[in-house]
Amino acid sequence: MGDVLAYEAELLGLVKEYLDFAGFQETVKVLKKECKIKGKPLIKPADTSSEGSLPVQEEILRAFEDGDQKVFFQLWEEHILSLLHESDPVAENLEFYLHIYFATFLLKQTMGKPDKAELEERISYFKAYLETKGAALSQTTEFLPFYALPFVPNPMVHPSFKEIFQDSWTLDLKARLEKFLSLTLKSRQTPRLLTIFKESGQCNKEMMQHLQQQLVKREQRYMTNLKRVHKLQMDYRNLLGVTAELVDSLEATITGKMITPEYLQSVFSCLFSNHLKQTVAHHIDFSRPGTGYYSMSPCDDGYASTLLRASLASIKFQDVPLLPSLDYEKLKKDLITGSDRLKALLLQALRWRLTTSYPGEQRDTIMQAYISNDLLDCHSNCQRSVLQLLYSKSEVVRQYMARLINAFASLIEGRAYLSQNPTLLQMLEDRLKAEDKDSLTWENVLGALQKFSLRRALQSAMIKDGLIFWLVDVLIDPDCLSDYNLEYCAALLMNLCLRSAGKKICASIPNHMLRVLSGLLDHENPKIQSYVNGALYSILAIPSVREEAKEMVRSRFSHM
């Protein structure tokens, strides 16, 4: 009984509100009379006023038709969002398209010749929305292409945005807006008692349909993933077969048997069959270290990579979509003068644009666009350049800049472009010695330098800068390095030891060098073992180092 008395006034108010809504006027009079006789309070429930709903809807639609962005979103914030839950997916999706509508309104009204200042203001407003409230939708495939809209110079002629400049798109958006406003503003008139009843006891048919659709999508995704698993299993079996063939061929060469061109052709046909070609192409690893140890030609990036590229070039991949072009001048300006958050987001987006692209024509097009527009200012002599982000006070900006440089260095064209800047190598070496070894920045700088070591000129510069001494000092305590960093340090050291100048450096510290490398020989990671073996094989060709190694062995046995 106590609980009833505590909420009695509010309950009576809910009952009166519903009776008013349903038109039971005589009953309302009796209720008021009895409450007055018994001294019961009869309060008016909050948020029941519906006056002014229709004029608000007309004002919002008028602002929409006039393209008045400020008035529209002021009314939207004040009268619409205040009635909704914090995350209403229907409202979020509609609001995203409304921002696109107002951002492109001038282009449609002036036939592509708007006032530049006003257009710039609208585009800036749209960019601010994408970076704040609209950022939550960046993972949705439906909206992802529109995040490039502010950076496209002339979106009216771009095929990706052709639809939003058609009258049918505008009319459809207006119809969706009218329906949404009617339903949202009408909900203010619904009695709270009826709302409570619907939420607690009624089965929402639309929700059930939505859940059924989600279930169908999940089942379709499951079948797609199942097919991928079966495909990967088939690829795995085929690759095992190819591996066995290659091992047999290596054993045959040891015994002096010739490997015929027809045999090599059959291996390549199996490796790059129709079933495997897409899997091979879509799993290029940007994170693995490259080495020049197995080079069969004096070319910088190795004979093996050239042969592989020639083989892949003969395969015709399926057509891939073209990505929207970017306004590189605006991008570089924002990278230099923007906030740290904006810089980090742009660097991340530029890296993803490269690493998630389809290998072949699409990836080559993206890389050539980056290079031709001098994205990283490798050809610039200005003090404020994009490369200077390596010295940013923000650790996140430095990390994302190092990640982008590492992605560039993973491709031959990227290494050639980066090597044209005379100061970049020194900048990377400075960051390698200044950053914390546990940081992702240090990890990506190390990866970039290791890939740079595939180029002869950069190898010479690293050796001259004393990087071998630094690497040996770092490898003294391998336990303080992750397997990834230890692998890259060992690979970089091996590449530098292959050069005559590098061998001379090692010959100047033979005891120290041999102790560090011998300590890594029994490491559990086979890749690290192979890089250490490569370095030892190279430096043991020097007589003085070889004699030092023999002396170390004799000394060890004498103490046993």
Side-chain angles (χ1 to χ4, degrees):
M1 189 66 182
D3 291 340
V4 175
L5 293 175
Y7 298 103
E8 187 177 42
E10 187 175 358
L11 290 171
L12 290 172
L14 291 174
V15 172
K16 177 184 176 299
E17 179 192 20
Y18 180 77
L19 292 174
D20 282 328
F21 174 79
F24 294 98
Q25 301 301 326
E26 294 299 324
T27 307
V28 171
K29 292 180 181 179
V30 174
L31 177 62
K32 287 182 177 180
K33 183 178 179 181
E34 286 198 31
C35 287
K36 186 175 181 180
I37 293 173
K38 295 183 178 182
K40 303 289 185 180
L42 190 61
I43 63 173
K44 185 178 182 180
D47 299 326
T48 59
S49 175
S50 62
E51 296 179 4
S53 298
L54 190 59
V56 169
Q57 181 173 347
E58 291 175 351
E59 288 179 18
I60 293 176
L61 291 174
R62 190 181 304 114
F64 176 87
E65 293 175 351
D66 295 340
D68 195 338
Q69 181 175 260
K70 293 182 180 179
V71 173
F72 180 91
F73 285 109
Q74 182 179 355
L75 293 170
W76 181 267
E77 292 283 343
E78 182 179 353
H79 297 283
I80 303 301
L81 297 184
S82 60
L83 300 175
L84 303 173
H85 296 291
E86 291 184 0
S87 57
D88 188 325
V90 177
E92 287 180 347
N93 294 357
L94 179 60
E95 186 176 4
F96 191 96
Y97 283 117
L98 288 170
H99 276 279
I100 295 175
Y101 167 82
F102 284 104
T104 58
F105 180 83
L106 289 180
L107 292 173
K108 289 183 285 190
Q109 295 297 315
T110 59
M111 299 302 291
K113 298 180 180 179
D115 179 75
K116 291 185 178 180
E118 188 174 353
L119 178 62
E120 184 68 26
E121 181 182 354
R122 287 174 178 261
I123 294 297
S124 299
Y125 190 87
F126 182 51
K127 284 174 63 178
Y129 166 76
L130 292 179
E131 294 169 7
T132 54
K133 193 174 181 181
L137 298 174
S138 61
Q139 304 301 321
T140 306
T141 307
E142 178 184 356
F143 303 110
L144 189 59
F146 295 107
Y147 284 78
L149 181 61
F151 300 102
V152 176
N154 189 1
M156 291 190 70
V157 299
H158 200 283
S160 298
F161 309 119
K162 182 178 179 181
E163 181 185 3
I164 64 176
F165 292 97
Q166 296 178 358
D167 293 338
S168 57
W169 185 85
T170 304
L171 293 174
D172 180 67
L173 181 61
K174 182 180 178 182
R176 288 175 59 188
L177 177 61
E178 289 177 342
K179 182 179 179 181
F180 178 82
L181 292 176
S182 299
L183 293 174
T184 304
L185 294 174
K186 184 180 178 181
S187 66
R188 299 173 66 183
Q189 304 175 19
T190 304
R192 287 178 59 195
L193 186 62
L194 181 59
T195 302
I196 294 171
F197 175 75
K198 286 182 177 179
E199 291 179 352
S200 61
Q202 290 292 320
C203 291
N204 194 317
K205 186 177 181 180
E206 291 182 358
M207 181 60 71
M208 291 296 295
Q209 291 176 348
H210 176 70
L211 292 175
Q212 289 175 352
Q213 291 174 357
Q214 292 295 318
L215 178 60
V216 172
K217 289 181 180 179
R218 295 294 184 273
E219 290 175 348
Q220 291 175 347
R221 187 176 298 176
Y222 168 77
M223 294 304 299
T224 301
N225 290 332
L226 189 62
K227 291 178 181 178
R228 289 177 180 173
V229 170
H230 291 324
K231 185 174 181 296
L232 287 172
Q233 290 174 342
M234 291 295 296
D235 292 350
Y236 175 73
R237 296 191 188 98
N238 288 339
L239 284 173
L240 282 179
V242 171
T243 303
E245 291 284 344
L246 292 176
V247 170
D248 291 341
S249 66
L250 287 173
E251 292 178 349
T253 57
I254 294 174
T255 60
K257 295 181 181 179
M258 295 293 293
I259 303 299
T260 64
E262 290 77 15
Y263 175 80
L264 286 177
Q265 183 62 39
S266 66
V267 172
F268 272 95
S269 298
C270 180
L271 182 60
F272 300 117
S273 65
N274 289 331
H275 184 68
L276 277 173
K277 63 186 180 182
Q278 291 183 359
T279 304
V280 172
H282 283 275
H283 288 80
I284 293 178
D285 193 344
F286 278 78
S287 64
R288 303 312 308 160
T291 66
Y293 183 62
Y294 296 104
S295 294
M296 299 175 65
S297 168
C299 64
D300 289 334
D301 284 299
Y303 174 80
S305 64
T306 304
L307 178 61
L308 182 57
R309 284 169 59 83
S311 302
L312 290 173
S314 65
I315 302 173
K316 293 184 179 179
F317 294 93
Q318 65 182 23
D319 293 334
V320 295
L322 293 176
L323 295 176
S325 57
L326 303 178
D327 187 343
Y328 287 93
E329 289 299 319
K330 184 182 294 184
L331 268 174
K332 290 199 285 186
K333 180 181 177 182
D334 288 344
L335 283 172
I336 294 173
T337 63
S339 64
D340 288 341
R341 171 180 167 76
L342 178 60
K343 291 175 184 177
L345 290 173
L346 288 176
L347 290 171
Q348 183 186 52
L350 290 167
R351 175 169 55 86
W352 282 355
R353 184 180 175 90
L354 178 63
T355 58
T356 62
S357 61
Y358 287 84
E361 183 180 356
Q362 189 185 64
R363 181 166 294 165
D364 291 343
T365 301
I366 293 172
M367 178 55 72
Q368 288 303 319
Y370 284 179
I371 295 173
S372 61
N373 289 280
D374 195 16
L375 177 63
L376 300 184
D377 285 337
C378 284
H379 302 143
S380 174
N381 295 323
C382 298
Q383 292 185 349
R384 298 188 68 187
S385 65
V386 177
L387 287 177
Q388 293 298 321
L389 293 179
L390 281 172
Y391 294 109
S392 172
K393 294 181 180 179
S394 169
E395 198 279 333
V396 176
V397 174
R398 296 198 307 275
Q399 176 197 141
Y400 281 34
M401 186 62 193
R403 284 172 176 260
L404 181 58
I405 291 175
N406 194 16
F408 267 68
S410 299
L411 302 174
I412 294 178
E413 298 86 353
R415 290 194 289 274
Y417 166 66
L418 293 173
S419 65
Q420 295 172 16
N421 187 282
T423 62
L424 177 57
L425 181 61
Q426 187 61 52
M427 294 169 67
L428 291 173
E429 290 176 352
D430 291 343
R431 297 321 308 165
L432 191 66
K433 296 171 183 177
E435 294 287 342
D436 188 342
K437 291 184 180 63
D438 295 328
S439 68
L440 289 173
T441 306
W442 192 87
E443 182 176 291
N444 281 275
V445 169
L446 175 64
L449 284 172
Q450 193 281 325
K451 292 158 188 170
F452 279 4
S453 67
L454 297 174
R455 299 189 67 84
R456 189 176 183 84
L458 294 176
Q459 276 182 351
S460 300
M462 291 183 201
I463 294 170
K464 186 177 179 181
D465 292 340
L467 201 58
I468 290 179
F469 294 112
W470 183 87
L471 284 169
V472 173
D473 290 337
V474 169
L475 291 172
I476 289 175
D477 186 10
D479 293 335
C480 70
L481 298 174
S482 65
D483 277 5
Y484 177 95
N485 292 336
L486 186 58
E487 181 179 340
Y488 268 79
C489 284
L492 176 56
L493 180 61
M494 186 195 75
N495 285 350
L496 298 181
C497 288
L498 296 177
R499 296 288 303 281
S500 298
K503 294 177 183 178
K504 291 180 181 178
I505 296 291
C506 297
S508 67
I509 50 169
N511 187 277
H512 190 34
M513 187 78 180
L514 290 171
R515 288 186 184 279
V516 169
L517 292 177
S518 61
L520 295 172
L521 276 175
D522 58 348
H523 196 278
E524 60 185 6
N525 189 328
K527 292 186 176 65
I528 294 174
Q529 292 179 6
S530 66
Y531 298 143
V532 172
N533 283 326
L536 284 171
Y537 181 84
S538 178
I539 65 175
L540 286 173
I542 304 173
S544 61
V545 177
R546 195 161 55 247
E547 289 300 319
E548 180 67 24
K550 291 178 181 178
E551 182 63 29
M552 288 175 64
V553 172
R554 285 194 293 267
S555 175
R556 181 174 297 179
F557 278 104
S558 66
H559 288 86
M560 291 181 64

